[in-house]
Amino acid sequence: MALLQSIPGINGTAEVQEGAFAVPAELTVERGGFDPWCLSAFASRLAEKGFAPLVFKDGGAALRLRRDGAYAPEAYTLEVERAGISLTASGERGIIQGLTSLFERLAGREIPCCRLSDRPRYGHRGFMLDCSRHFFESAEIERILEEMALVKLNIFHWHLSDDQGWRIESRAFPKLHAGGPRYTQEEIRRIVAFARDRGIEVIPEIDLPGHTTALLSVYPELSCREEPVSPVTGGGIFPIILCAGKERVYEFLFTLLDEIADLFDSPLIHLGGDEAPKTEWEQCEHCKAALKRLGLEDFEDLQGHFTARLAEHLAGKGKKVRCWNDILKSRVLPGNMDIQYWVEWDASGGLESYFDRGGGVVFSDMFSLYFDYPASFSSLQKVFRYEPAIGGRSRAASPNTAGVEACLWTERVPTAAALERAIFPRLFALAETAWAGPGDYRDFEDRLRLKLETLKTRGVSFTPLEQCNPEGEARLAEIARFWKEFQASSGGIELAVPPETMAEMSKAMARGFNLPELPL
Ligand code: ACM
Ligand code: ZN
């Protein structure tokens, strides 16, 4: 029976009962005061299976929604009986998760009787997609969002700017995307609504002050030297970044971020902050003057100050900021900020003390949750067993752990099919651990086999299960192939990172990925 075979598993109680509810051609629904948008994804999935549109009814409906304010966000109870179905939650997001469970149990035109009481392990269950290095059409974004929703992932972190391209329409600064593909403001709004209907919040990321070659190639006056900046295509860390000492940079960013903030209903904006080399700032009269005027100790603090000014501005629009953990190298931090963990190599002290002081962290450990690395680096089992940790100590159960998020950087992901193969089925292992917590891997694989059958029917690409946990020769061959491609696609790492840092990074990567050696 389909009841206990879904992904993610039930994080609570599940009872299977005799019999089934026969879904009528026209399903009646008592909304119980919930907003109709929370039923729209469920309705369109039923429509795809040949059912008629839902019919809302005040009494005597087959599917009854009930509100109970005592339920945690996204928690729900679903009772399927022969005579009808009732679904209880505190808000629309809980209803959406319950309807997803209901839909996942539909077998033919029946839903087996059951009683499920379910809630997520983590409030943040995310996926980040880099749409700068390669651009993916909005139909593909919606396809990914639908697959995320079916496994109860609830955050889409959209990396919309980087060195290689600016991907979000700005009416204030249209030069940002002149000639390149980008999402129009209408597309953004449509995707945000599509995601919301599936219980997914969209968090935009505008990476600042580094990873801004695309921006500076059209607005070089925002750099320290104000000299022409060449666009880049290869991956890497590039030395020319936004100047933090000129007032015009802040004015530009306030206008730009205002425009972006209005397109998204998430209370968060991700401001990146990773991999921002300070070589330009160290030579810049404006940056040096700012450092002195503000009484800051070093240029990392200047990055903290830069981010804090943007954060303060965004607070005026009711937005909080998130930054990659690199920002913790600064002693100056915004008040309204939380952190996305990706690597500890030079921020581990700052990260531990930030966390222990009560700062919120989303965990995206690159050694487990960066899906641009192939299965030989980050196997399906490794993702399944991932537990948030800092300094080798588990932080899985801390209230400061907001949740987990997988990331896909797309320097080497040129097509939608390659994107799907990189994330599926590892995204399902992430969904499993994020919603239900660690469990029995073999049992997960059994459920996964069924899941992959349904993916096939929707034409979604994925890495075959037998290639998801490579070992021995197969693993070594894949690793060698990957490094060759990695080096061929990297344009600017050596440029910006001193040799001793490169050597440290190499060692940390070999350790983190458990690799025999590293040709960096
Ligand atoms: C990152 O991978 N640079 C956040
Ligand atoms: Zn400067």
Short mmCIF file of all heavy atoms in Angstrom, two decimals, residues 128 133 159 162 205 207 211 237 270 272-275 324-326 340-343 364 366 370 372 407 409, ligand 1:
data_model
loop_
_atom_site.label_atom_id
_atom_site.label_comp_id
_atom_site.label_asym_id
_atom_site.label_seq_id
_atom_site.Cartn_x
_atom_site.Cartn_y
_atom_site.Cartn_z
N MET A 128 19.01 25.95 -3.23
CA MET A 128 19.52 27.14 -3.91
C MET A 128 19.92 26.81 -5.33
O MET A 128 20.62 25.83 -5.56
CB MET A 128 20.75 27.70 -3.18
CG MET A 128 21.20 29.03 -3.78
SD MET A 128 22.99 29.27 -3.80
CE MET A 128 23.45 28.29 -5.24
N ARG A 133 25.47 31.70 -13.60
CA ARG A 133 26.49 31.02 -14.42
C ARG A 133 25.83 30.36 -15.63
O ARG A 133 26.35 30.40 -16.74
CB ARG A 133 27.22 29.97 -13.58
CG ARG A 133 28.39 30.50 -12.78
CD ARG A 133 27.99 31.60 -11.79
NE ARG A 133 29.10 32.03 -10.96
CZ ARG A 133 29.35 31.55 -9.75
NH1 ARG A 133 28.53 30.67 -9.19
NH2 ARG A 133 30.39 31.97 -9.07
N HIS A 159 19.66 32.40 -6.60
CA HIS A 159 20.93 33.14 -6.76
C HIS A 159 20.89 33.84 -8.12
O HIS A 159 21.10 33.23 -9.15
CB HIS A 159 22.08 32.13 -6.67
CG HIS A 159 23.44 32.75 -6.64
ND1 HIS A 159 24.02 33.26 -5.49
CD2 HIS A 159 24.36 32.93 -7.61
CE1 HIS A 159 25.22 33.72 -5.77
NE2 HIS A 159 25.46 33.54 -7.06
N ASP A 162 25.79 37.25 -10.24
CA ASP A 162 27.15 36.77 -9.98
C ASP A 162 28.07 37.39 -11.01
O ASP A 162 27.64 38.23 -11.81
CB ASP A 162 27.20 35.23 -9.98
CG ASP A 162 28.21 34.71 -8.95
OD1 ASP A 162 29.39 35.04 -9.09
OD2 ASP A 162 27.82 33.98 -8.02
N GLU A 205 18.76 36.13 -3.89
CA GLU A 205 20.12 36.49 -3.46
C GLU A 205 20.75 37.44 -4.47
O GLU A 205 20.81 37.15 -5.67
CB GLU A 205 21.03 35.27 -3.31
CG GLU A 205 22.44 35.71 -2.85
CD GLU A 205 23.47 34.59 -2.77
OE1 GLU A 205 23.09 33.40 -2.88
OE2 GLU A 205 24.67 34.91 -2.60
N ASP A 207 24.36 38.95 -4.65
CA ASP A 207 25.65 38.72 -3.98
C ASP A 207 26.48 40.01 -4.01
O ASP A 207 26.81 40.52 -5.07
CB ASP A 207 26.37 37.57 -4.71
CG ASP A 207 27.40 36.89 -3.83
OD1 ASP A 207 27.76 37.46 -2.78
OD2 ASP A 207 27.86 35.79 -4.21
N HIS A 211 31.80 38.93 -6.21
CA HIS A 211 31.03 38.24 -7.26
C HIS A 211 30.16 39.23 -8.03
O HIS A 211 29.00 38.96 -8.34
CB HIS A 211 30.16 37.13 -6.64
CG HIS A 211 30.96 35.93 -6.23
ND1 HIS A 211 31.55 35.07 -7.13
CD2 HIS A 211 31.27 35.44 -5.00
CE1 HIS A 211 32.19 34.11 -6.49
NE2 HIS A 211 32.05 34.31 -5.18
N ILE A 237 37.00 33.17 -8.35
CA ILE A 237 36.87 34.29 -7.41
C ILE A 237 37.63 35.43 -8.05
O ILE A 237 38.82 35.32 -8.29
CB ILE A 237 37.48 33.93 -6.04
CG1 ILE A 237 36.80 32.67 -5.47
CG2 ILE A 237 37.33 35.10 -5.08
CD1 ILE A 237 37.51 32.11 -4.24
N HIS A 270 18.84 37.67 0.66
CA HIS A 270 20.20 37.15 0.84
C HIS A 270 21.16 38.12 0.17
O HIS A 270 21.00 38.43 -1.01
CB HIS A 270 20.27 35.77 0.18
CG HIS A 270 21.35 34.89 0.72
ND1 HIS A 270 22.67 35.27 0.77
CD2 HIS A 270 21.31 33.63 1.23
CE1 HIS A 270 23.38 34.27 1.28
NE2 HIS A 270 22.59 33.27 1.57
N GLY A 272 24.50 37.58 0.08
CA GLY A 272 25.75 36.91 -0.30
C GLY A 272 26.86 37.21 0.68
O GLY A 272 26.81 36.80 1.83
N GLY A 273 27.87 37.96 0.21
CA GLY A 273 28.96 38.35 1.09
C GLY A 273 30.13 37.37 1.09
O GLY A 273 31.11 37.55 1.82
N ASP A 274 30.05 36.34 0.26
CA ASP A 274 31.12 35.34 0.20
C ASP A 274 32.25 35.80 -0.71
O ASP A 274 32.04 36.63 -1.60
CB ASP A 274 30.57 34.00 -0.31
CG ASP A 274 29.94 34.14 -1.69
OD1 ASP A 274 29.21 35.13 -1.91
OD2 ASP A 274 30.17 33.28 -2.55
N GLU A 275 33.41 35.27 -0.47
CA GLU A 275 34.54 35.35 -1.39
C GLU A 275 34.73 36.75 -1.97
O GLU A 275 34.71 36.95 -3.18
CB GLU A 275 34.34 34.33 -2.53
CG GLU A 275 34.29 32.91 -2.00
CD GLU A 275 34.01 31.86 -3.06
OE1 GLU A 275 33.24 32.14 -4.02
OE2 GLU A 275 34.53 30.76 -2.94
N TRP A 324 26.26 34.62 3.62
CA TRP A 324 27.13 33.44 3.75
C TRP A 324 28.05 33.65 4.95
O TRP A 324 28.35 34.79 5.32
CB TRP A 324 27.94 33.25 2.47
CG TRP A 324 27.11 32.96 1.26
CD1 TRP A 324 26.84 33.81 0.24
CD2 TRP A 324 26.44 31.72 0.94
NE1 TRP A 324 26.04 33.19 -0.70
CE2 TRP A 324 25.78 31.91 -0.29
CE3 TRP A 324 26.33 30.48 1.57
CZ2 TRP A 324 25.02 30.90 -0.91
CZ3 TRP A 324 25.57 29.48 0.95
CH2 TRP A 324 24.94 29.69 -0.26
N ASN A 325 28.54 32.54 5.51
CA ASN A 325 29.27 32.66 6.77
C ASN A 325 30.57 33.47 6.68
O ASN A 325 31.13 33.87 7.69
CB ASN A 325 29.51 31.30 7.43
CG ASN A 325 30.37 30.33 6.66
OD1 ASN A 325 29.98 29.21 6.41
ND2 ASN A 325 31.56 30.71 6.27
N ASP A 326 31.02 33.77 5.46
CA ASP A 326 32.23 34.60 5.30
C ASP A 326 32.09 35.95 6.03
O ASP A 326 33.10 36.51 6.47
CB ASP A 326 32.49 34.91 3.81
CG ASP A 326 32.47 33.69 2.92
OD1 ASP A 326 31.55 32.86 3.07
OD2 ASP A 326 33.35 33.58 2.05
N GLN A 340 24.10 31.74 6.54
CA GLN A 340 24.08 30.46 5.83
C GLN A 340 25.49 29.89 5.84
O GLN A 340 26.43 30.49 5.32
CB GLN A 340 23.58 30.65 4.38
CG GLN A 340 23.44 29.31 3.66
CD GLN A 340 22.55 29.39 2.44
OE1 GLN A 340 22.15 30.48 2.01
NE2 GLN A 340 22.23 28.24 1.86
N TYR A 341 25.61 28.74 6.47
CA TYR A 341 26.89 28.06 6.61
C TYR A 341 27.22 27.33 5.31
O TYR A 341 26.38 26.62 4.78
CB TYR A 341 26.77 27.05 7.75
CG TYR A 341 27.89 26.05 7.89
CD1 TYR A 341 28.79 26.16 8.94
CD2 TYR A 341 28.04 24.99 7.00
CE1 TYR A 341 29.82 25.25 9.08
CE2 TYR A 341 29.06 24.08 7.14
CZ TYR A 341 29.94 24.21 8.17
OH TYR A 341 30.95 23.31 8.31
N TRP A 342 28.43 27.50 4.80
CA TRP A 342 28.84 26.64 3.68
C TRP A 342 30.20 26.01 3.91
O TRP A 342 30.43 24.88 3.50
CB TRP A 342 28.78 27.38 2.33
CG TRP A 342 29.79 28.47 2.10
CD1 TRP A 342 29.78 29.72 2.63
CD2 TRP A 342 30.93 28.41 1.25
NE1 TRP A 342 30.84 30.46 2.17
CE2 TRP A 342 31.57 29.68 1.30
CE3 TRP A 342 31.48 27.43 0.42
CZ2 TRP A 342 32.73 29.99 0.58
CZ3 TRP A 342 32.63 27.74 -0.31
CH2 TRP A 342 33.24 29.00 -0.21
N VAL A 343 31.09 26.70 4.60
CA VAL A 343 32.42 26.13 4.81
C VAL A 343 33.05 26.83 5.99
O VAL A 343 32.73 27.98 6.28
CB VAL A 343 33.27 26.31 3.53
CG1 VAL A 343 33.83 27.70 3.42
CG2 VAL A 343 34.35 25.26 3.41
N SER A 364 24.44 24.52 4.86
CA SER A 364 24.63 24.08 3.47
C SER A 364 26.07 23.61 3.30
O SER A 364 26.77 24.06 2.40
CB SER A 364 24.35 25.23 2.50
OG SER A 364 23.02 25.65 2.59
N MET A 366 29.30 22.49 2.16
CA MET A 366 29.65 22.18 0.77
C MET A 366 30.10 20.73 0.57
O MET A 366 29.98 20.19 -0.52
CB MET A 366 30.74 23.13 0.25
CG MET A 366 32.12 22.92 0.82
SD MET A 366 33.36 23.95 -0.01
CE MET A 366 33.75 22.98 -1.44
N TYR A 370 26.53 20.50 -1.59
CA TYR A 370 26.77 21.22 -2.86
C TYR A 370 26.61 20.21 -3.99
O TYR A 370 27.48 19.37 -4.22
CB TYR A 370 28.17 21.85 -2.88
CG TYR A 370 28.23 23.25 -2.31
CD1 TYR A 370 27.28 23.70 -1.39
CD2 TYR A 370 29.24 24.13 -2.69
CE1 TYR A 370 27.35 24.99 -0.88
CE2 TYR A 370 29.31 25.42 -2.18
CZ TYR A 370 28.36 25.84 -1.27
OH TYR A 370 28.42 27.12 -0.77
N ASP A 372 26.71 20.57 -7.11
CA ASP A 372 27.53 20.72 -8.32
C ASP A 372 28.69 19.73 -8.29
O ASP A 372 29.31 19.46 -9.31
CB ASP A 372 28.04 22.15 -8.48
CG ASP A 372 28.38 22.83 -7.17
OD1 ASP A 372 27.52 22.82 -6.26
OD2 ASP A 372 29.50 23.36 -7.03
N CYS A 407 22.66 23.27 -2.41
CA CYS A 407 22.98 24.35 -3.35
C CYS A 407 23.44 23.76 -4.67
O CYS A 407 24.18 22.78 -4.69
CB CYS A 407 24.11 25.21 -2.80
SG CYS A 407 23.73 26.01 -1.23
N TRP A 409 25.52 25.25 -7.80
CA TRP A 409 26.26 26.27 -8.55
C TRP A 409 26.40 25.73 -9.96
O TRP A 409 26.69 24.54 -10.15
CB TRP A 409 27.62 26.52 -7.89
CG TRP A 409 27.47 26.91 -6.45
CD1 TRP A 409 27.60 26.10 -5.36
CD2 TRP A 409 27.11 28.20 -5.95
NE1 TRP A 409 27.35 26.81 -4.20
CE2 TRP A 409 27.05 28.10 -4.54
CE3 TRP A 409 26.82 29.43 -6.55
CZ2 TRP A 409 26.71 29.19 -3.73
CZ3 TRP A 409 26.51 30.50 -5.73
CH2 TRP A 409 26.45 30.38 -4.34
C1 ACM B 1 29.91 29.90 -1.85
O1 ACM B 1 29.96 28.71 -2.17
N1 ACM B 1 30.84 30.73 -2.31
C2 ACM B 1 28.90 30.41 -0.98
#
